[in-house]
mmCIF file of all heavy atoms in Angstrom:
data_model
loop_
_atom_site.group_PDB
_atom_site.id
_atom_site.type_symbol
_atom_site.label_atom_id
_atom_site.label_comp_id
_atom_site.label_asym_id
_atom_site.label_seq_id
_atom_site.Cartn_x
_atom_site.Cartn_y
_atom_site.Cartn_z
ATOM 1 N N LYS A 526 -32.389 -21.509 -2.420
ATOM 2 C CA LYS A 526 -32.361 -20.481 -3.463
ATOM 3 C C LYS A 526 -33.494 -19.487 -3.220
ATOM 4 O O LYS A 526 -34.663 -19.853 -3.281
ATOM 5 C CB LYS A 526 -32.512 -21.122 -4.845
ATOM 6 C CG LYS A 526 -32.478 -20.122 -5.989
ATOM 7 C CD LYS A 526 -32.702 -20.815 -7.326
ATOM 8 C CE LYS A 526 -32.721 -19.802 -8.467
ATOM 9 N NZ LYS A 526 -32.975 -20.450 -9.774
ATOM 10 N N PRO A 527 -33.174 -18.235 -2.964
ATOM 11 C CA PRO A 527 -34.243 -17.253 -2.736
ATOM 12 C C PRO A 527 -34.940 -16.877 -4.043
ATOM 13 O O PRO A 527 -34.360 -16.993 -5.127
ATOM 14 C CB PRO A 527 -33.491 -16.055 -2.150
ATOM 15 C CG PRO A 527 -32.107 -16.167 -2.705
ATOM 16 C CD PRO A 527 -31.825 -17.643 -2.826
ATOM 17 N N SER A 528 -36.175 -16.437 -3.933
ATOM 18 C CA SER A 528 -36.882 -15.841 -5.072
ATOM 19 C C SER A 528 -36.492 -14.375 -5.124
ATOM 20 O O SER A 528 -36.763 -13.625 -4.182
ATOM 21 C CB SER A 528 -38.395 -15.988 -4.902
ATOM 22 O OG SER A 528 -38.764 -17.354 -4.843
ATOM 23 N N GLN A 529 -35.848 -13.968 -6.217
ATOM 24 C CA GLN A 529 -35.259 -12.632 -6.293
ATOM 25 C C GLN A 529 -36.068 -11.705 -7.208
ATOM 26 O O GLN A 529 -36.539 -12.111 -8.277
ATOM 27 C CB GLN A 529 -33.823 -12.724 -6.790
ATOM 28 C CG GLN A 529 -32.886 -13.422 -5.802
ATOM 29 C CD GLN A 529 -31.460 -13.460 -6.307
ATOM 30 O OE1 GLN A 529 -31.039 -14.405 -6.969
ATOM 31 N NE2 GLN A 529 -30.708 -12.425 -5.972
ATOM 32 N N PHE A 530 -36.161 -10.451 -6.757
ATOM 33 C CA PHE A 530 -36.943 -9.451 -7.484
ATOM 34 C C PHE A 530 -36.195 -8.118 -7.484
ATOM 35 O O PHE A 530 -35.292 -7.884 -6.675
ATOM 36 C CB PHE A 530 -38.317 -9.245 -6.835
ATOM 37 C CG PHE A 530 -39.116 -10.506 -6.662
ATOM 38 C CD1 PHE A 530 -39.018 -11.243 -5.484
ATOM 39 C CD2 PHE A 530 -39.947 -10.964 -7.662
ATOM 40 C CE1 PHE A 530 -39.740 -12.404 -5.307
ATOM 41 C CE2 PHE A 530 -40.670 -12.127 -7.507
ATOM 42 C CZ PHE A 530 -40.573 -12.857 -6.327
ATOM 43 N N GLU A 531 -36.616 -7.279 -8.389
ATOM 44 C CA GLU A 531 -36.181 -5.876 -8.412
ATOM 45 C C GLU A 531 -37.375 -5.021 -8.781
ATOM 46 O O GLU A 531 -38.292 -5.475 -9.471
ATOM 47 C CB GLU A 531 -35.044 -5.663 -9.418
ATOM 48 C CG GLU A 531 -33.740 -6.318 -9.016
ATOM 49 C CD GLU A 531 -32.663 -6.219 -10.082
ATOM 50 O OE1 GLU A 531 -33.008 -6.028 -11.267
ATOM 51 O OE2 GLU A 531 -31.479 -6.365 -9.731
ATOM 52 N N MET A 532 -37.367 -3.792 -8.303
ATOM 53 C CA MET A 532 -38.412 -2.838 -8.664
ATOM 54 C C MET A 532 -37.773 -1.541 -9.133
ATOM 55 O O MET A 532 -36.905 -0.989 -8.441
ATOM 56 C CB MET A 532 -39.352 -2.551 -7.491
ATOM 57 C CG MET A 532 -40.367 -3.639 -7.203
ATOM 58 S SD MET A 532 -41.668 -3.085 -6.044
ATOM 59 C CE MET A 532 -42.676 -2.055 -7.142
ATOM 60 N N TYR A 533 -38.216 -1.089 -10.318
ATOM 61 C CA TYR A 533 -37.852 0.258 -10.752
ATOM 62 C C TYR A 533 -38.980 1.189 -10.339
ATOM 63 O O TYR A 533 -40.148 0.981 -10.703
ATOM 64 C CB TYR A 533 -37.648 0.323 -12.265
ATOM 65 C CG TYR A 533 -37.432 1.749 -12.743
ATOM 66 C CD1 TYR A 533 -36.187 2.357 -12.593
ATOM 67 C CD2 TYR A 533 -38.469 2.491 -13.303
ATOM 68 C CE1 TYR A 533 -35.988 3.671 -12.991
ATOM 69 C CE2 TYR A 533 -38.279 3.808 -13.704
ATOM 70 C CZ TYR A 533 -37.032 4.385 -13.545
ATOM 71 O OH TYR A 533 -36.828 5.690 -13.924
ATOM 72 N N ILE A 534 -38.636 2.211 -9.591
ATOM 73 C CA ILE A 534 -39.617 3.198 -9.125
ATOM 74 C C ILE A 534 -39.051 4.576 -9.456
ATOM 75 O O ILE A 534 -38.147 5.065 -8.783
ATOM 76 C CB ILE A 534 -39.872 3.060 -7.612
ATOM 77 C CG1 ILE A 534 -40.359 1.648 -7.286
ATOM 78 C CG2 ILE A 534 -40.876 4.096 -7.140
ATOM 79 C CD1 ILE A 534 -40.374 1.335 -5.824
ATOM 80 N N GLY A 535 -39.567 5.178 -10.520
ATOM 81 C CA GLY A 535 -38.992 6.444 -10.918
ATOM 82 C C GLY A 535 -39.627 7.031 -12.154
ATOM 83 O O GLY A 535 -40.670 6.565 -12.640
ATOM 84 N N PRO A 536 -38.992 8.063 -12.694
ATOM 85 C CA PRO A 536 -39.545 8.774 -13.857
ATOM 86 C C PRO A 536 -39.334 7.987 -15.145
ATOM 87 O O PRO A 536 -38.406 7.176 -15.259
ATOM 88 C CB PRO A 536 -38.745 10.081 -13.868
ATOM 89 C CG PRO A 536 -37.436 9.729 -13.229
ATOM 90 C CD PRO A 536 -37.760 8.703 -12.184
ATOM 91 N N ASN A 537 -40.207 8.252 -16.125
ATOM 92 C CA ASN A 537 -40.065 7.643 -17.444
ATOM 93 C C ASN A 537 -39.102 8.485 -18.279
ATOM 94 O O ASN A 537 -39.484 9.159 -19.245
ATOM 95 C CB ASN A 537 -41.428 7.543 -18.135
ATOM 96 C CG ASN A 537 -42.408 6.715 -17.349
ATOM 97 O OD1 ASN A 537 -42.029 5.782 -16.654
ATOM 98 N ND2 ASN A 537 -43.689 7.063 -17.439
ATOM 99 N N ASP A 538 -37.851 8.417 -17.883
ATOM 100 C CA ASP A 538 -36.778 9.158 -18.545
ATOM 101 C C ASP A 538 -35.897 8.144 -19.277
ATOM 102 O O ASP A 538 -35.271 7.287 -18.652
ATOM 103 C CB ASP A 538 -35.967 9.933 -17.503
ATOM 104 C CG ASP A 538 -34.892 10.804 -18.121
ATOM 105 O OD1 ASP A 538 -34.263 10.383 -19.110
ATOM 106 O OD2 ASP A 538 -34.659 11.923 -17.611
ATOM 107 N N PHE A 539 -35.852 8.226 -20.590
ATOM 108 C CA PHE A 539 -35.195 7.208 -21.406
ATOM 109 C C PHE A 539 -33.745 6.993 -20.990
ATOM 110 O O PHE A 539 -33.314 5.861 -20.752
ATOM 111 C CB PHE A 539 -35.271 7.616 -22.888
ATOM 112 C CG PHE A 539 -34.920 6.515 -23.845
ATOM 113 C CD1 PHE A 539 -35.907 5.702 -24.375
ATOM 114 C CD2 PHE A 539 -33.610 6.296 -24.223
ATOM 115 C CE1 PHE A 539 -35.601 4.684 -25.264
ATOM 116 C CE2 PHE A 539 -33.275 5.287 -25.114
ATOM 117 C CZ PHE A 539 -34.281 4.475 -25.628
ATOM 118 N N ARG A 540 -32.976 8.057 -20.894
ATOM 119 C CA ARG A 540 -31.549 7.931 -20.554
ATOM 120 C C ARG A 540 -31.362 7.454 -19.108
ATOM 121 O O ARG A 540 -30.483 6.627 -18.832
ATOM 122 C CB ARG A 540 -30.848 9.278 -20.751
ATOM 123 C CG ARG A 540 -30.893 9.819 -22.156
ATOM 124 C CD ARG A 540 -30.250 8.881 -23.150
ATOM 125 N NE ARG A 540 -30.183 9.467 -24.482
ATOM 126 C CZ ARG A 540 -29.993 8.793 -25.591
ATOM 127 N NH1 ARG A 540 -29.868 7.480 -25.545
ATOM 128 N NH2 ARG A 540 -29.940 9.402 -26.759
ATOM 129 N N LEU A 541 -32.163 7.967 -18.209
ATOM 130 C CA LEU A 541 -32.056 7.562 -16.814
ATOM 131 C C LEU A 541 -32.336 6.071 -16.662
ATOM 132 O O LEU A 541 -31.606 5.349 -15.967
ATOM 133 C CB LEU A 541 -33.022 8.370 -15.956
ATOM 134 C CG LEU A 541 -33.157 7.938 -14.495
ATOM 135 C CD1 LEU A 541 -31.835 8.138 -13.764
ATOM 136 C CD2 LEU A 541 -34.270 8.698 -13.806
ATOM 137 N N ILE A 542 -33.397 5.596 -17.317
ATOM 138 C CA ILE A 542 -33.740 4.175 -17.212
ATOM 139 C C ILE A 542 -32.630 3.312 -17.792
ATOM 140 O O ILE A 542 -32.305 2.249 -17.249
ATOM 141 C CB ILE A 542 -35.083 3.904 -17.926
ATOM 142 C CG1 ILE A 542 -36.220 4.604 -17.174
ATOM 143 C CG2 ILE A 542 -35.360 2.410 -18.003
ATOM 144 C CD1 ILE A 542 -37.574 4.469 -17.842
ATOM 145 N N GLN A 543 -32.021 3.750 -18.880
ATOM 146 C CA GLN A 543 -30.898 3.011 -19.442
ATOM 147 C C GLN A 543 -29.769 2.866 -18.424
ATOM 148 O O GLN A 543 -29.184 1.785 -18.277
ATOM 149 C CB GLN A 543 -30.374 3.708 -20.695
ATOM 150 C CG GLN A 543 -31.196 3.450 -21.951
ATOM 151 C CD GLN A 543 -30.540 4.050 -23.174
ATOM 152 O OE1 GLN A 543 -30.029 5.179 -23.143
ATOM 153 N NE2 GLN A 543 -30.544 3.314 -24.267
ATOM 154 N N ASP A 544 -29.464 3.959 -17.719
ATOM 155 C CA ASP A 544 -28.391 3.923 -16.718
ATOM 156 C C ASP A 544 -28.770 3.043 -15.523
ATOM 157 O O ASP A 544 -27.947 2.265 -15.024
ATOM 158 C CB ASP A 544 -28.068 5.339 -16.244
ATOM 159 C CG ASP A 544 -27.438 6.189 -17.345
ATOM 160 O OD1 ASP A 544 -26.869 5.596 -18.289
ATOM 161 O OD2 ASP A 544 -27.528 7.430 -17.271
ATOM 162 N N VAL A 545 -30.007 3.176 -15.049
ATOM 163 C CA VAL A 545 -30.446 2.405 -13.888
ATOM 164 C C VAL A 545 -30.481 0.914 -14.221
ATOM 165 O O VAL A 545 -30.150 0.066 -13.382
ATOM 166 C CB VAL A 545 -31.824 2.893 -13.408
ATOM 167 C CG1 VAL A 545 -32.382 1.970 -12.326
ATOM 168 C CG2 VAL A 545 -31.719 4.320 -12.866
ATOM 169 N N GLU A 546 -30.870 0.582 -15.428
ATOM 170 C CA GLU A 546 -30.959 -0.830 -15.813
ATOM 171 C C GLU A 546 -29.607 -1.533 -15.708
ATOM 172 O O GLU A 546 -29.539 -2.735 -15.460
ATOM 173 C CB GLU A 546 -31.503 -0.935 -17.238
ATOM 174 C CG GLU A 546 -31.820 -2.362 -17.653
ATOM 175 C CD GLU A 546 -32.497 -2.440 -19.005
ATOM 176 O OE1 GLU A 546 -33.348 -1.582 -19.288
ATOM 177 O OE2 GLU A 546 -32.168 -3.363 -19.772
ATOM 178 N N LYS A 547 -28.516 -0.776 -15.888
ATOM 179 C CA LYS A 547 -27.178 -1.368 -15.764
ATOM 180 C C LYS A 547 -26.898 -1.827 -14.340
ATOM 181 O O LYS A 547 -26.003 -2.649 -14.116
ATOM 182 C CB LYS A 547 -26.128 -0.349 -16.202
ATOM 183 C CG LYS A 547 -26.226 0.042 -17.667
ATOM 184 C CD LYS A 547 -25.234 1.146 -18.015
ATOM 185 C CE LYS A 547 -25.396 1.610 -19.456
ATOM 186 N NZ LYS A 547 -24.470 2.737 -19.772
ATOM 187 N N GLN A 548 -27.658 -1.314 -13.356
ATOM 188 C CA GLN A 548 -27.468 -1.704 -11.969
ATOM 189 C C GLN A 548 -28.194 -3.008 -11.623
ATOM 190 O O GLN A 548 -28.045 -3.530 -10.518
ATOM 191 C CB GLN A 548 -27.960 -0.592 -11.045
ATOM 192 C CG GLN A 548 -27.272 0.747 -11.262
ATOM 193 C CD GLN A 548 -27.953 1.874 -10.516
ATOM 194 O OE1 GLN A 548 -28.709 1.646 -9.577
ATOM 195 N NE2 GLN A 548 -27.687 3.116 -10.936
ATOM 196 N N SER A 549 -28.991 -3.511 -12.565
ATOM 197 C CA SER A 549 -29.695 -4.770 -12.312
ATOM 198 C C SER A 549 -28.701 -5.910 -12.106
ATOM 199 O O SER A 549 -27.679 -6.002 -12.788
ATOM 200 C CB SER A 549 -30.624 -5.091 -13.490
ATOM 201 O OG SER A 549 -31.187 -6.374 -13.337
#
Side-chain angles (χ1 to χ4, degrees):
K526 181 183 178 182
S528 299
Q529 293 182 269
F530 306 91
E531 291 174 338
M532 283 192 76
Y533 173 79
I534 302 169
N537 300 329
D538 184 322
F539 193 93
R540 299 300 186 198
L541 172 64
I542 293 176
Q543 281 186 318
D544 293 337
V545 172
E546 188 174 321
K547 296 175 184 177
Q548 302 170 19
S549 173

